[in-house]
Amino acid sequence: MQGVCSLQKTVQQPFSPIIGPKSHTLILGTMASPKSRENGFYYGHPQNRFWPVLAAVFSREMRENGSRFPVDGVPKTQPEREALLLENGLALWDVLAACDITGASDASIRNPVPNDIASLVKRYPIERVFTTGQTAARLYRRLVEPETGLPCTALPSPSPANCRVPFDALVEAYGVLRPEPARDTARI
């Protein structure tokens, strides 16, 4: 009989962070899933709702700003997905550089090794940190926040395994990623 430990696999983070000089908001997952690693990009499982949710949150603003983002739907290619992030001041990475994990189960994570998020925060104008789930938030708070000094806000997981959260509720929750409108301090 095989135990859970024998099904665990040591996984290394295959993706570099997506970040640009105007990135003010960092979104962190836990670790790339097997399907994402197979497809070669973040949130690569066809039923993961991350990209459709971001498209719903930012699509109108993207069209109004003349973006390369397709106006007819969700970005499908890596350049379109990167454009969606960067044109909205977002950065994307995972909390972990390596861990032992069974499949895509965050609950099975053992021996977590964090990415060097602190140096990212020092090099770029990151002001806010969000995670795509509770496990990423817990790991960030324990392994990374002491170095960055930036607290994180956990958003609901867009994973197909988190089907209890409807799409519209995800869009509403992820709406916090939009920057707050600048206040006009010149007026009295």
Side-chain angles (χ1 to χ4, degrees):
M1 183 166 108
Q2 285 188 319
V4 172
C5 292
S6 65
L7 299 175
Q8 283 207 318
K9 178 179 179 182
T10 300
V11 175
Q12 302 288 324
Q13 173 57 256
F15 307 131
S16 299
I18 298 169
I19 193 163
K22 296 179 183 178
S23 296
H24 51 72
T25 300
L26 176 60
I27 304 167
L28 296 168
T30 308
M31 170 58 80
S33 72
K35 200 61 158 168
S36 294
R37 295 190 305 269
E38 178 185 316
N39 290 331
F41 201 64
Y42 293 96
Y43 301 97
H45 192 289
Q47 277 115 25
N48 192 294
R49 299 175 290 171
F50 182 80
W51 297 110
V53 165
L54 284 189
V57 168
F58 291 103
S59 64
R60 190 170 87 202
E61 291 90 346
M62 298 289 289
R63 285 192 298 271
E64 289 170 358
N65 292 330
S67 169
R68 295 174 291 160
F69 175 72
V71 296
D72 61 339
V74 179
K76 307 248 183 315
T77 67
Q78 185 171 335
E80 289 171 346
R81 290 173 174 178
E82 288 180 5
L84 172 61
L85 294 166
L86 297 175
E87 291 175 18
N88 287 289
L90 305 175
L92 181 64
W93 207 11
D94 285 324
V95 175
L96 299 180
C99 67
D100 297 333
I101 189 169
T102 303
S105 171
D106 280 359
S108 73
I109 290 174
R110 303 287 180 266
N111 305 314
V113 177
N115 272 315
D116 187 9
I117 296 166
S119 61
L120 210 66
V121 167
K122 287 176 187 167
R123 289 192 323 254
Y124 295 92
I126 300 297
E127 298 171 355
R128 308 182 307 160
V129 177
F130 293 89
T131 63
T132 60
Q134 293 298 326
T135 301
R138 181 177 47 79
L139 290 165
Y140 174 84
R141 288 177 184 128
R142 182 168 56 101
L143 302 172
V144 180
E145 187 176 332
E147 292 182 46
T148 65
L150 286 174
C152 72
T153 300
L155 298 171
S157 172
S159 166
N162 187 21
C163 58
R164 71 184 180 280
V165 179
F167 184 80
D168 290 343
L170 284 175
V171 171
E172 184 176 335
Y174 279 67
V176 300
L177 297 174
R178 281 192 217 100
E180 293 182 19
R183 292 191 181 107
D184 187 358
T185 57
R187 290 193 290 171
I188 297 179

